[in-house]
Amino acid sequence: MTHILKNGLLCDYDELGLIKILHLRMRNFFRLSSSEMKLIREKHSDVLDRLQKCFCKVDNKYYQNRDKTFFSTNHSGQYLAYLYFYSLEFSLLGHELKEKFYYLNKILHSVDIYSEVRLPEVFFFEHPLGMVLGRANYGDNFFAMQGCTVGGNKGKYPIIGNNVKMFSNAKIVGNCIVGNNVWISANTYLKDCNVPANTIVFGQSPNLIFKELKQ
């Protein structure tokens, strides 16, 4: 059975059911005070709004149902985004709940996306086990797969353009500028380098190969 939530998002549970599942999963690992539970309920609508804006732009059959955007509690990539948006909301508030949501995401999905990391409004992860997404300037419509890493080097962090795709085990580290419409192929390692727009990149820094991306 599907339910239509307040913002038009389709879901396998109504809002009360979603909150109950979330509380259960949180309480398996953490103590929650009554005030924390209240805050989680209060932020739920904002989190669902972020999900709707993200998922409606994802071109994947599991994110759409009868021309409506769909959120499943049993789809790990979708639930990952749900928990990330919660960690983001509490990071913006400066509330310690951000740590619990970040940690729960790490436990359930084997990803490390700290609450201070600002992912774009639209992103999509395919089989995202083992991802570590650190501080960077992420462009919109960001895509990543299993084993991908984004992080700093000597206090410098990447600037990633729009429509960038990272395939399995790709890495972007340090003072990198990645242009728009770039595919970073599997096992590619970018460190302190620039990648021009509309490019497929292969190899390991500094020995990189660039090919034109034709779409």
Side-chain angles (χ1 to χ4, degrees):
M1 178 183 294
T2 57
H3 301 265
I4 300 177
L5 306 181
K6 291 177 183 176
N7 60 357
L9 189 67
L10 284 183
C11 187
D12 48 355
Y13 286 89
D14 60 17
E15 283 202 68
L16 181 59
L18 280 175
I19 290 291
K20 286 182 177 179
I21 291 170
L22 180 57
H23 282 170
L24 178 63
R25 290 174 176 174
M26 289 285 281
R27 283 174 157 174
N28 280 335
F29 301 100
F30 313 108
R31 291 182 178 180
L32 287 180
S33 68
S34 57
S35 61
E36 286 178 325
M37 292 174 63
K38 181 181 178 183
L39 273 174
I40 290 170
R41 289 193 298 270
E42 288 175 352
K43 278 296 173 184
H44 198 235
S45 179
D46 293 333
V47 168
L48 292 180
D49 284 340
R50 289 184 184 275
L51 274 187
Q52 168 70 22
K53 290 175 183 176
C54 180
F55 289 3
C56 74
K57 299 290 182 62
V58 173
D59 183 19
N60 182 277
K61 64 181 180 180
Y62 296 109
Y63 288 69
Q64 308 300 323
N65 185 319
R66 296 175 296 182
D67 299 322
K68 295 280 189 180
T69 304
F70 187 70
F71 168 44
S72 171
T73 58
N74 295 318
H75 186 291
S76 62
Q78 293 177 5
Y79 208 78
L80 182 164
Y82 177 67
L83 294 180
Y84 165 73
F85 284 134
Y86 253 118
S87 72
L88 173 61
E89 287 290 337
F90 287 115
S91 174
L92 294 172
L93 279 180
H95 194 283
E96 63 182 15
L97 270 171
K98 67 182 184 180
E99 305 285 354
K100 293 179 181 179
F101 279 98
Y102 155 67
Y103 196 4
L104 183 62
N105 228 351
K106 201 170 184 179
I107 293 167
L108 294 182
H109 302 117
S110 298
V111 298
D112 193 316
I113 309 172
Y114 190 51
S115 56
E116 302 295 332
V117 171
R118 300 294 184 254
L119 294 178
E121 184 175 271
V122 178
F123 58 85
F124 172 50
F125 301 143
E126 186 82 44
H127 313 302
L129 292 173
M131 283 194 329
V132 179
L133 301 181
R135 298 178 192 273
N137 188 334
Y138 292 88
D140 210 22
N141 199 29
F142 175 70
F143 171 89
M145 297 185 72
Q146 66 269 20
C148 287
T149 299
V150 176
N153 180 43
K154 298 179 180 178
K156 301 291 185 180
Y157 299 93
I159 299 174
I160 300 171
N162 299 328
N163 305 312
V164 169
K165 296 182 184 295
M166 297 182 69
F167 293 91
S168 61
N169 296 302
K171 298 174 178 63
I172 310 173
V173 176
N175 189 21
C176 294
I177 300 177
V178 180
N180 296 332
N181 306 312
V182 168
W183 289 9
I184 303 169
S185 62
N187 301 305
T188 294
Y189 177 36
L190 306 179
K191 179 183 177 184
D192 299 330
C193 65
N194 295 339
V195 179
N198 305 304
T199 299
I200 306 174
V201 58
F202 306 83
Q204 312 278 314
S205 291
N207 302 310
L208 297 170
I209 299 170
F210 301 100
K211 292 186 177 181
E212 181 183 0
L213 175 61
K214 297 179 180 179
Q215 293 181 306

